[in-house]
């Protein structure tokens, strides 16, 4: 039987301090109801969704993995990273009945705002958002993907919101050239404990504002915050649509449901609910 690698095998990547995190975030008065750290799993989203279906998790539960070997992004794309090189976690939320179903699509955008603003403060890096679910940083003057967000429906109106953020990923470990990390972006700190606390507190704060406003992106301030931090708006883009086909034009705005409004090169105005967005260089 092969022994599991020690969590201290890479001193630049120490393990998270579960007890301290639980006391700070899920203790009396904390913003979350439960917090667990698992050494390794396939997908925190899949695990938390299964726990919700079994009745073993309630809203406010946070599940964090030191390593994910079968993480998923949008369109079921595989995603993985070295152990303890990032923040890989999911939270269970139940926005209904406070938030009508047509506004639930704002959740991934809300998570992007929460993560980007928290990391800008705690890590001292400039962040931006790429619609609909990417957090970007600048590495060597280029936009790089720092992390992504995936929201999935679970049992009884609940939503599992998964967030993956690259913290100490080194250049030789990048899965693709377009990836980045806080380390490569020159962060003042890559200590995952305070970074995770900052992101989870920011997420709880934005979620509270949004639900108290009935999911209204204007009344909660979410629309303005997202638009201010979104590098997609105002740019020429290529939208690769589900099922094939593409749309080119200028990303002009977000609509009331969080869809991207593209003023197409065909002269039409298109509301896009799901797509891979590629930022195009000015012509």
């Amino acid at each position: 039987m092969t022994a599991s690698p020690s969590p201290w095998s890479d001193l630049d990547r120490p393990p998270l301090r579960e007890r301290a995190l639980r006391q700070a975030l899920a203790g009396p008065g904390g913003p979350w109801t439960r917090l667990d750290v698992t050494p390794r799993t396939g997908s925190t989203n899949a695990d938390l969704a299964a726990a919700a279906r079994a009745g073993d998790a309630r809203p406010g539960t946070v599940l964090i993995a030191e390593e994910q070997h079968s993480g998923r992004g949008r369109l079921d794309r595989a995603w993985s990273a070295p152990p303890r090189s990032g923040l890989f976690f999911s939270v269970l939320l139940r926005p209904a009945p406070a938030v009508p179903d047509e506004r639930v699509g704002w959740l991934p955008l809300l998570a992007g705002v929460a993560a980007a603003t928290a990391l800008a403060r705690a890590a001292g890096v400039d962040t931006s958002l790429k619609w609909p679910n990417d957090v970007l940083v600048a590495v060597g003057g280029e936009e790089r993907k720092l992390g992504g967000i995936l929201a999935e429906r679970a049992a009884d109106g609940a939503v599992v919101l998964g967030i993956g953020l690259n913290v100490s990923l080194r250049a030789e470990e990048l899965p693709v050239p377009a990836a980045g990390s806080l380390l490569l972006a020159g962060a003042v700190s890559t200590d995952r404990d305070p970074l995770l606390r900052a992101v989870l507190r920011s997420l709880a704060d934005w979620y509270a504002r949004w639900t108290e406003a009935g999911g209204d992106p204007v009344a909660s301030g979410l629309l303005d915050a997202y638009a201010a931090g979104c590098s997609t708006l105002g740019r020429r883009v290529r939208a690769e649509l589900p099922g094939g086909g593409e749309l080119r034009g200028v990303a002009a705005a977000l609509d009331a449901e969080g869809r991207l409004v593209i003023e197409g090169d065909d002269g039409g105005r298109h509301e896009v609910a799901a797509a891979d967005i590629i930022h195009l260089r000015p012509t």
Side-chain angles (χ1 to χ4, degrees):
M1 181 176 179
T2 303
S4 299
S6 167
W8 297 98
S9 58
D10 187 339
L11 295 180
D12 290 332
R13 293 171 175 165
L16 292 167
R17 297 179 285 274
E18 181 176 20
R19 178 179 295 180
L21 287 168
R22 186 178 291 137
Q23 290 175 342
L25 296 166
W32 302 97
T33 59
R34 175 177 171 181
L35 184 147
D36 295 298
V37 178
T38 184
R40 188 173 189 265
T41 191
S43 161
T44 55
N45 260 32
D47 290 351
L48 199 47
R53 288 193 296 270
D56 296 330
R58 59 192 178 104
T61 298
V62 182
L63 178 61
I64 306 156
E66 294 282 37
E67 179 186 6
Q68 283 193 126
H69 58 81
S70 301
R72 291 177 296 118
R74 291 180 62 252
L75 307 178
D76 281 331
R77 290 178 177 140
W79 184 89
S80 63
R84 304 178 306 283
S85 66
L87 300 176
F88 322 123
F89 65 93
S90 299
V91 300
L92 184 66
L93 304 169
R94 183 171 288 120
V99 176
D101 192 66
E102 63 269 17
R103 289 175 171 170
V104 173
W106 279 95
L107 262 179
L109 282 65
L110 181 154
V113 169
T117 55
L119 293 175
R121 291 192 304 267
V125 297
D126 291 330
T127 57
S128 62
L129 299 166
K130 178 181 167 188
W131 187 91
N133 69 332
D134 289 348
V135 180
L136 307 179
V137 290
V139 177
E142 296 182 355
E143 281 184 340
R144 300 281 191 92
K145 180 176 177 178
L146 177 71
I149 296 154
L150 180 65
E152 300 180 285
R153 301 277 184 162
D156 300 324
V159 177
V160 177
L161 186 65
I163 300 177
L165 300 164
N166 296 327
V167 175
S168 63
L169 209 63
R170 303 162 185 134
E172 65 273 15
E173 296 172 324
L174 296 176
V176 294
S181 69
L182 291 178
L183 176 70
L184 296 176
V188 297
S189 173
T190 56
D191 185 339
R192 292 182 304 143
D193 275 74
L195 295 174
L196 180 60
R197 295 183 194 208
V199 172
L200 282 170
R201 286 180 174 135
S202 180
L203 179 59
D205 178 60
W206 272 107
Y207 183 71
R209 286 194 236 175
W210 180 68
T211 53
E212 287 167 5
D216 187 326
V218 176
S220 63
L222 179 57
L223 176 58
D224 284 346
Y226 191 89
C230 181
S231 64
T232 301
L233 294 177
R235 293 175 68 162
R236 282 191 51 76
V237 299
R238 182 175 79 248
E240 297 181 351
L241 305 173
E246 68 174 38
L247 175 66
R248 290 176 181 251
V250 174
L254 298 177
D255 72 4
E257 296 179 17
R259 296 176 297 188
L260 186 65
V261 179
I262 298 177
E263 294 178 350
D265 292 349
D266 59 3
R269 188 174 173 88
H270 307 270
E271 296 172 341
V272 177
D276 278 339
I277 299 296
I278 292 86
H279 292 169
L280 301 178
R281 296 183 182 276
T283 56

